Amino acid sequence: MSTILLMVLFVFSQVMKLNIQNETSRLRAVILGTAESNGPTPKVEDCYDPKSRQHVLAGTYPKEVDMIKEMEAVAKVLERYDVTVYRPKVLKDYNQIFARDISFVIEDKIVVANILPDRKREVEATEYVWEHVEKKNRIILPDECHVEGGDVMPWNDYIFIGTYSGEDYPDYITARTNVDAVIAIQELFPHKIVKSFELRKSNTDPKDNALHLDCCFQPVGKDKAIIHKNGFLVESEYEWLVNFFGKKNVFEITKDEMYDMNSNIFSISEDVIISEKNFTRLNTWLRDNGFTVEEVPYAEIAKQEGLLRCSTMPLIRD
């Protein structure tokens, strides 16, 4: 049976041993979201981010049939690299594309995110996977801890976390991870160095909004990174990352490239990356630095202010 088939029928023979130490080690198992039964175009007032809102107003919001084709292209690449792929149970007329939002794995623990209340059913659709993880390794944070997986990046001895700590936090639908969650994650992993970064937020302008940390930054390979300076509210925090990876190892993306989600690619291994086919400048840099780039069409998915990292949730890496 193909690993790409809907995994609701799959019977787990043993406890699933999760393992995520970083963003780029060889991928063995992943949850990939689904665009099936995605539902109608949302109303403007129901949009969760400014980019979706922009496309609803312009009449260019992506069609389900196009998004399904894009996600299946990713599934085929993963299958070609012998990655086990789980898909959410399909909920009728419900957006389930961004699997990274609803949970994330660090080491052998899966953390179920406290996401926007309207999206709670997404968690239920992947429960069939994480219920085969030992109970002690299933973490549900307290209600006051707001966090989404796009803001959380394990990187060996570090955990990088995007956050927003302004007093106007409740006013931003784009502020998804709060300081309470940063503290809780530090307490869960006391042996790790948790480094948080204040992100720029806007409810109305997608070019001035870093919805998650992976919308303006992502490590690749062993020692390289993609970054957009304006996604960070505090310049010294941006500079810390540049110094951490080394300026010669950092690919700086423009505001338009951030808007197109250039930092939101996805690593199958330290030398194989899935990227959007239109990211010409980035893909050239990656190849020039020795990476194999598997190009896929993902521009329609990008209209919802998310891309490849957002729609994948790794469970096991080497």
Side-chain angles (χ1 to χ4, degrees):
M1 179 183 292
S2 167
T3 56
I4 304 302
L5 292 176
L6 184 63
M7 296 302 293
V8 177
L9 302 177
F10 184 80
V11 178
F12 290 89
S13 60
Q14 57 186 3
V15 172
M16 181 179 284
K17 301 291 187 183
L18 302 176
N19 183 50
I20 298 293
Q21 304 294 334
N22 56 49
E23 293 290 315
T24 64
S25 292
R26 179 62 162 90
L27 182 69
R28 300 298 177 184
V30 67
I31 297 175
L32 173 66
T34 180
E36 290 186 39
S37 193
N38 197 63
T41 299
K43 297 176 182 177
V44 172
E45 60 270 23
D46 293 334
C47 291
Y48 301 134
D49 64 89
K51 196 171 182 183
S52 292
R53 180 177 181 272
Q54 181 184 70
H55 283 286
V56 170
L57 289 169
T60 54
Y61 192 80
K63 294 180 174 61
E64 180 181 302
V65 64
D66 295 326
M67 293 190 292
I68 288 174
K69 287 178 182 176
E70 290 185 343
M71 299 200 78
E72 292 314 305
V74 175
K76 287 177 182 177
V77 173
L78 293 167
E79 184 176 41
R80 191 149 43 81
Y81 282 88
D82 296 321
V83 176
T84 300
V85 180
Y86 303 107
R87 310 300 293 270
K89 291 189 291 185
V90 176
L91 304 175
K92 183 175 173 54
D93 294 335
Y94 208 77
N95 189 326
Q96 297 175 265
I97 291 171
F98 298 122
R100 183 81 63 154
D101 289 354
I102 62 175
S103 59
F104 54 91
V105 175
I106 301 175
E107 296 182 339
D108 59 355
K109 294 178 172 55
I110 184 165
V111 180
V112 179
N114 288 332
I115 59 174
L116 298 170
D118 290 347
R119 300 180 62 187
K120 283 290 187 184
R121 290 181 65 206
E122 287 181 70
V123 175
E124 299 167 14
T126 57
E127 185 176 358
Y128 81 94
V129 177
W130 54 265
E131 69 183 2
H132 292 276
V133 175
E134 286 187 276
K135 281 190 176 182
K136 68 178 183 179
N137 289 331
R138 296 183 226 158
I139 308 298
I140 299 177
L141 298 177
D143 288 345
E144 65 270 18
C145 299
H146 303 167
V147 63
E148 290 186 353
D151 276 323
V152 181
M153 289 188 186
W155 190 246
N156 304 314
D157 293 335
Y158 287 82
I159 303 173
F160 300 141
I161 303 180
T163 187
Y164 181 73
S165 63
E167 291 183 2
D168 54 353
Y169 175 93
D171 299 333
Y172 284 106
I173 196 170
T174 54
R176 304 292 174 82
T177 299
N178 64 9
V179 174
D180 287 332
V182 175
I183 294 168
I185 291 170
Q186 178 69 86
E187 290 174 349
L188 276 171
F189 302 96
H191 53 290
K192 297 282 191 180
I193 302 167
V194 173
K195 180 74 175 173
S196 63
F197 304 89
E198 294 280 336
L199 302 182
R200 190 174 304 281
K201 302 294 180 180
S202 172
N203 287 339
T204 56
D205 186 352
K207 291 190 177 183
D208 273 328
N209 178 54
L211 188 65
H212 294 127
L213 181 59
D214 60 17
C215 294
C216 61
F217 162 75
Q218 186 173 174
V220 291
K222 294 181 179 179
D223 59 0
K224 293 177 173 55
I226 304 161
I227 198 165
H228 176 62
K229 181 177 181 178
N230 195 55
F232 296 83
L233 267 181
V234 182
E235 186 169 346
S236 62
E237 293 179 355
Y238 151 81
E239 290 172 348
W240 186 93
L241 277 171
V242 172
N243 291 331
F244 180 84
F245 287 92
K247 195 168 183 62
K248 64 180 173 50
N249 291 325
V250 171
F251 184 79
E252 298 264 2
I253 59 175
T254 66
K255 182 175 281 194
D256 285 342
E257 287 171 332
M258 187 195 82
Y259 172 81
D260 290 333
M261 311 300 296
N262 276 234
S263 64
N264 207 271
I265 57 178
F266 183 63
S267 293
I268 293 178
S269 69
E270 290 177 344
D271 51 12
V272 179
I273 291 170
I274 308 178
S275 182
E276 215 287 328
K277 65 178 185 177
N278 294 306
F279 293 171
T280 305
R281 197 172 74 91
L282 172 63
N283 294 345
T284 299
W285 178 81
L286 289 169
R287 290 189 174 106
D288 287 347
N289 280 275
F291 294 97
T292 297
V293 181
E294 297 285 353
E295 294 187 354
V296 295
Y298 231 59
E300 293 303 302
I301 298 285
K303 292 177 179 179
Q304 297 181 77
E305 207 156 352
L307 205 80
L308 291 153
R309 189 180 187 273
C310 290
S311 53
T312 49
M313 204 285 278
L315 299 165
I316 303 169
R317 292 187 184 269
D318 287 351

